[in-house]
Amino acid sequence: RGAHAGWRGSAMAEDLDALLDEAERRFCSGASSAASRGPGDSGAAVKPGERRKKQRTSPKRYEDEDIDDLIEDLFEDEFEPLKVRNKPGGTNSDVSNSPSCLTSRKCCPVFLGGSSVPSGVGTSISQRACSRLRCTSCDFRLATFDDHEWDPSCDYLFFRNNMPDCQKLKAKLLRKRGTRAYACQCSWRSVHSLTDLRREQELKWVCGKHET
């Protein structure tokens, strides 16, 4: 009887060892499978190519949606067109007075004149002294003084140093009724009557255009 009891104890120990080995094998196998799938994977197997495809396409989908939203926002912006309002009288002063609607005219021929000669756009019919004279040599616009003439002591350096300061130029002006004094930085004249500029060949004065 003692030998029989010893055999039973040995068999039970072997069965217990086999059960422990089987439990350990199953536990380790389950843990390894769970670790390979990751915490967010389901039981179904996912191919590596499909997983990479999802990772690539997901950010692009959000980027495309953001670009579409930006395009829609741009096209939804409404820009109010420029409107020109007419005054009750039916005239449009804003348009008529805009710089793009202004026209320019040049004197032909160009006249100089004394203070009694009216200034404006000169033509062969309307003989007016040009009021927009410019010198092509020094590129200065002319200064004029009605009822004055230049002192005979004036020289090139005086106008070179003082033009276009009218206050300094007056130091060489003499009072003379009916005369108009003209000057740029390189030339000067005192004119008593209507004079065609074509007769003054040494002067490089031209009409600088009149805006009308």
Side-chain angles (χ1 to χ4, degrees):
R1 180 180 297 178
H4 182 69
W7 177 81
R8 290 183 61 185
S10 177
M12 289 178 64
E14 292 177 356
D15 292 341
L16 181 60
D17 290 340
L19 287 173
L20 290 173
D21 291 341
E22 181 67 20
E24 183 179 358
R25 184 170 57 255
R26 291 185 178 183
F27 176 79
C28 291
S29 176
S32 176
S33 176
S36 64
R37 288 196 303 268
D41 292 347
S42 60
V46 179
K47 295 181 180 181
E50 294 178 354
R51 180 181 291 108
R52 288 194 298 270
K53 183 176 180 181
K54 288 181 179 180
Q55 292 175 353
R56 288 196 304 268
T57 57
S58 178
K60 179 175 175 54
R61 178 170 57 85
Y62 291 116
E63 292 176 1
D64 292 342
E65 291 177 356
D66 293 340
I67 293 174
D68 293 339
D69 293 339
L70 289 174
I71 293 175
E72 290 178 359
D73 293 340
L74 289 175
F75 280 101
E76 287 176 358
D77 292 339
E78 296 182 358
F79 299 94
E80 184 178 357
L82 181 62
K83 296 181 180 180
V84 180
R85 297 180 179 178
N86 293 332
K87 291 186 176 181
T91 59
N92 194 334
S93 60
D94 294 337
V95 174
S96 61
N97 293 332
S98 62
S100 60
C101 295
L102 296 176
T103 59
S104 59
R105 297 176 60 190
K106 295 185 69 174
C107 297
C108 184
V110 182
F111 291 105
L112 304 179
S115 59
S116 60
V117 178
S119 301
V121 181
T123 64
S124 57
I125 298 175
S126 178
Q127 297 180 341
R128 296 175 178 270
C130 181
S131 57
R132 300 283 296 179
L133 290 169
R134 182 179 62 85
C135 180
T136 59
S137 180
C138 64
D139 200 28
F140 267 70
R141 184 178 174 182
L142 267 69
T144 60
F145 302 90
D146 286 352
D147 295 324
H148 285 83
E149 65 178 358
W150 294 114
D151 189 275
S153 63
C154 289
D155 57 10
Y156 170 80
L157 289 178
F158 171 76
F159 293 100
R160 176 73 179 178
N161 296 330
N162 297 312
M163 188 69 185
D165 191 333
C166 293
Q167 294 299 323
K168 292 182 178 181
L169 292 175
K170 288 180 179 180
K172 293 287 186 177
L173 284 172
L174 302 177
R175 182 79 178 178
K176 188 171 184 180
R177 186 176 182 84
T179 303
R180 181 176 289 148
Y182 293 85
C184 63
Q185 195 181 38
C186 60
S187 302
W188 62 99
R189 281 291 186 278
S190 297
V191 181
H192 306 279
S193 59
L194 188 70
T195 304
D196 192 332
L197 193 57
R198 291 175 294 185
R199 298 177 182 176
E200 302 287 341
Q201 297 294 328
E202 67 276 13
L203 296 177
K204 306 300 181 183
W205 298 346
V206 295
C207 176
K209 294 183 180 181
H210 302 258
E211 292 182 353
T212 57

